[in-house]
Amino acid sequence: MCIRDSYTCTPTADALLLDYRTWGSGAFPLWLRLPAGYDAAAVRLDAADAVFTVERVGADQYVVLTALPGIHTVTVRTLPSPPWWQSWWLRWRNLREPGVG
């Protein structure tokens, strides 16, 4: 079980910065909502790259990673989402020409 004591989330033009402090007995899932119109490019937990997934709940997108108890900083690098037609085109192109993208 993890007890969250405090956190500060600071959005910037190209990142979300989360400073948190917890006490607990082990790792726990951490969900951070991405700003509308942005995708996650990379995630770091302190100074190390973190493995993450992006989950959609309704219209919202969340970065999900495994966090650790203690005092830590999570940095999510964000990029503007491409327009819907560009995403569709890239998927279609990758299906038609594997290995291109």
Side-chain angles (χ1 to χ4, degrees):
M1 179 174 176
C2 182
I3 301 170
R4 290 164 185 80
D5 181 51
S6 65
Y7 69 92
T8 303
C9 188
T10 309
T12 66
D14 64 347
L16 292 174
L17 305 172
L18 175 73
D19 294 312
Y20 73 89
R21 179 187 325 194
T22 64
W23 286 269
S25 59
F28 60 94
L30 179 65
W31 289 55
L32 296 170
R33 188 170 66 85
L34 289 167
Y38 284 86
D39 292 329
V43 177
R44 294 181 67 82
L45 178 60
D46 297 325
D49 290 335
V51 175
F52 70 98
T53 60
V54 175
E55 303 290 334
R56 182 177 294 277
V57 178
D60 296 328
Q61 288 191 104
Y62 294 84
V63 170
V64 182
L65 66 139
T66 301
L68 304 170
I71 300 172
H72 298 282
T73 299
V74 176
T75 304
V76 179
R77 293 283 171 206
T78 57
L79 294 172
S81 299
W84 69 268
W85 59 266
Q86 189 175 18
S87 298
W88 180 86
W89 171 253
L90 290 173
R91 280 188 223 133
W92 181 83
R93 184 175 172 207
N94 288 338
L95 288 173
R96 299 271 302 167
E97 305 170 28
V100 169

